[in-house]
Each structure stands twice: as C-alpha cells, then as structure tokens.
Amino acid sequence: MSHEHAPEYRSLPAPLLPFAQHEAVQRITTADLLATPPRVTESGHFVGRLDSGGLGSPRYFVGEYRDGRMPNALVLEYGPSSADEPSSARVWSLADHRGASPDYRLVHDDSSRGYVTA
C-alpha cells in the first residue's frame, strides 16, 4: 500500500484525471479491503470505511496519513493494463472524516456493468 500523488495514475479514465491531479490519492489493492475494521496501533495510520456503492457490506482499509492529512481519494485498479486493454478502476472520495473512521464514497466504478435480477 503506498500513498502517492495522482500524476502516477495515468491509466485512470479521462474524466477522472482532473480530479486525481488535484487530490492526494492512495493506491489500494483487493488484498487491502477487509470485512471488519482492523486494530491499528502504528502512528501515521488510520482505519477508513469504503462505501461499496452496491450490494454487500462496506469494506475497511488501513490508510496512511501524509503531512498529517488523510488521502482525499482512493484508487483500486482491476485487471490488466495495456494499450489495447486498459484496466478498470474504482475511485472513492473522502466523504466524512468525523469520528473514529473516515467514510469514503464511491465516485467512479467501471469494473462492473450493473446487476441482473430475475
């Protein structure tokens, strides 16, 4: 898990690039998503909550403070990234940072195409 500035995220969809270029972002992986909030004892880290934006429960992650601040956005990329097949991405934005764990809301998800119901 690394906390970086957005110019590193060249594979993000074009509409999200302006957003990412002005916000501090943290890259996360699927392994960083947890079903229950972990206990964090290291200074410089916090537990955040991700709104799934769909079916299922929220997920938690361990975030890193940078210059004493929480990241304004999180990016999770899925799948291969190549010239002919770009990766998909989920992006969450910091929604509420009051309380013990900040909430992040899903603002972009091109990793799925919706739900089918019978």
Side-chain angles (χ1 to χ4, degrees):
M1 166 174 48
S2 68
H3 189 130
E4 303 175 30
H5 286 287
E8 304 296 324
Y9 300 101
R10 303 283 183 225
S11 62
L12 283 177
L16 290 175
L17 285 175
F19 166 77
Q21 289 171 349
H22 298 292
E23 304 289 346
V25 298
Q26 179 174 325
R27 175 171 277 186
I28 58 175
T29 67
T30 54
D32 296 325
L33 301 179
L34 308 168
T36 58
R39 184 178 190 150
V40 175
T41 56
E42 296 178 43
S43 64
H45 291 82
F46 65 92
V47 174
R49 188 185 128 168
L50 298 176
D51 172 23
S52 66
L55 301 176
S57 61
R59 294 288 184 227
Y60 300 89
F61 72 100
V62 175
E64 298 176 44
Y65 288 107
R66 187 171 195 159
D67 299 326
R69 294 175 37 183
M70 296 173 198
N72 291 331
L74 304 170
V75 175
L76 174 62
E77 292 186 77
Y78 292 91
S81 182
S82 64
D84 57 332
E85 189 178 341
S87 65
S88 297
R90 278 188 168 183
V91 179
W92 290 269
S93 177
L94 181 60
D96 186 3
H97 54 82
R98 294 172 289 172
S101 60
D103 288 329
Y104 286 80
R105 285 220 174 83
L106 190 64
V107 294
H108 175 81
D109 181 7
D110 61 5
S111 62
S112 64
R113 302 296 179 240
Y115 299 100
V116 176
T117 59

